[in-house]
Amino acid sequence: MKLKETLLTTPLKEEKLAIDNLLIEEMGDQHKASSVETPMRADAFDKSDDEKIAAIEPHFKAIMEILGMDLRDDSLRGTPLRVAKMYVKELFQGLNPANMPSMTLFENKFQYNEMLVEKNINFYTNCEHHFVPFFGKAHVAYISSGKVIGLSKLNRLVEYFSKRPQVQERLTMQVGKALQTVLQTQDVAIMMDAKHLCVSSRGVKDDSSNTITTFFGGKFQEENTKMEFLKYVEIKD
Ligand SMILES: [Zn+2]
């Protein structure tokens, strides 16, 4: 009896492989995020940046060689090291919490109690499913709980979370939740509007679609406040 049950509930090895592959494919094309936290390994920061660059270089070289490229060519020779440096020092620098920008708070001396909207913050990030860019505008808003933050810090926070392999849903939530923590208030709203090169330059090759994601915390879940935020975002410069 036991054996029969096991046979019935356990898919065949081939079946399981097919299901796993299907799941991986679906994740890739539907751009779902598995959690709000970026999934990280326990040993993520055992290596220094320089050690990571040195370790990535030969791997990227191998990919190029497998594709058939001759790395003795002057134009290609430096590419593996260049890509390794770019990954660690630029594009994916935000994986390391040590690189989080400092978030100094100030007292809300002016007693400004309305919403503050910082709109059209440019961001560039990379899709974690294809490692090609997606980019666009972030609109960030909060209502002060007594503390305020320098405006440029809002840009810096968006930039920090963008410098990771990302999905837009997670990026939006990470910026929103971090801002809630920093500002000690739930009253935070985020909207991100982006073009994904993995949708426009490959796959379905849809050049005209944009992806919009939102985060509404605290008072921004109330219809009036939400609509006010969306109205400000709509206003053209
Ligand atoms: Zn993608």
Side-chain angles (χ1 to χ4, degrees):
M1 197 63 194
K2 261 260 139 68
L3 184 67
K4 214 172 183 182
E5 270 174 12
T6 316
L7 280 173
L8 280 174
T9 51
T10 313
L12 291 172
K13 202 176 170 193
E14 293 76 23
E15 251 173 18
K16 197 185 170 311
L17 273 176
I19 291 167
D20 286 349
N21 283 338
L22 196 70
L23 285 178
I24 290 166
E25 275 297 305
E26 278 184 359
M27 283 290 259
D29 281 352
Q30 296 184 8
H31 282 183
K32 280 181 193 154
S34 50
S35 84
V36 181
E37 301 291 324
T38 302
M40 298 295 286
R41 292 162 56 93
D43 63 356
F45 306 111
D46 288 359
K47 285 192 174 72
S48 70
D49 281 1
D50 286 342
E51 286 168 336
K52 286 181 184 181
I53 290 167
I56 291 170
E57 183 189 4
H59 287 293
F60 202 82
K61 184 170 183 240
I63 291 173
M64 294 176 72
E65 284 174 344
I66 293 163
L67 289 172
M69 306 189 83
D70 184 354
L71 272 86
R72 290 171 303 179
D73 186 275
D74 275 346
S75 174
L76 300 179
R77 191 174 297 139
T79 300
L81 180 59
R82 204 175 295 119
V83 170
K85 275 187 184 164
M86 177 181 72
Y87 277 4
V88 176
K89 293 285 193 188
E90 296 176 281
L91 299 190
F92 306 130
Q93 196 196 45
L95 284 171
N96 191 340
N99 294 324
M100 175 142 178
S102 70
M103 290 281 150
T104 324
L105 294 174
F106 303 97
E107 292 301 324
N108 185 7
K109 285 204 181 125
F110 306 109
Q111 297 296 311
Y112 177 74
N113 295 321
E114 301 298 324
M115 87 173 59
L116 181 147
V117 184
E118 175 90 346
K119 60 187 262 187
N120 296 330
I121 299 173
N122 276 317
F123 71 90
Y124 289 88
T125 183
N126 287 273
C127 150
E128 71 182 10
H129 300 134
H130 300 95
F131 273 53
V132 293
F134 68 92
F135 55 92
K137 306 273 188 202
H139 314 293
V140 176
Y142 73 92
I143 300 166
S144 172
S145 67
K147 303 278 183 194
V148 291
I149 195 170
L151 291 179
S152 67
K153 298 293 183 185
L154 300 174
N155 298 58
R156 294 257 178 251
L157 198 66
V158 171
E159 189 186 27
Y160 166 69
F161 285 109
S162 298
K163 287 186 169 179
R164 297 176 175 193
Q166 275 290 12
V167 289
Q168 192 175 326
E169 296 92 322
R170 184 198 289 128
L171 175 58
T172 307
M173 291 173 77
Q174 285 181 334
V175 174
K177 284 180 179 293
L179 208 56
Q180 283 181 328
T181 307
V182 170
L183 289 167
Q184 299 154 33
T185 177
Q186 292 297 108
D187 306 337
V188 167
I190 315 285
M191 184 200 273
M192 298 188 112
D193 183 352
K195 279 211 173 291
H196 291 241
L197 286 194
C198 59
V199 175
S200 61
S201 72
R202 56 161 292 286
V204 291
K205 292 197 174 162
D206 183 347
D207 215 6
S208 61
S209 63
N210 276 27
T211 305
I212 292 176
T213 45
T214 54
F215 175 95
F216 296 113
K219 289 184 188 145
F220 285 94
Q221 289 177 355
E222 292 164 18
E223 207 55 23
N224 286 348
T225 316
K226 187 186 285 187
M227 294 318 280
E228 187 185 339
F229 166 67
L230 295 177
K231 207 164 67 195
Y232 295 141
V233 168
E234 262 176 30
I235 297 171
K236 299 274 173 253
D237 304 322

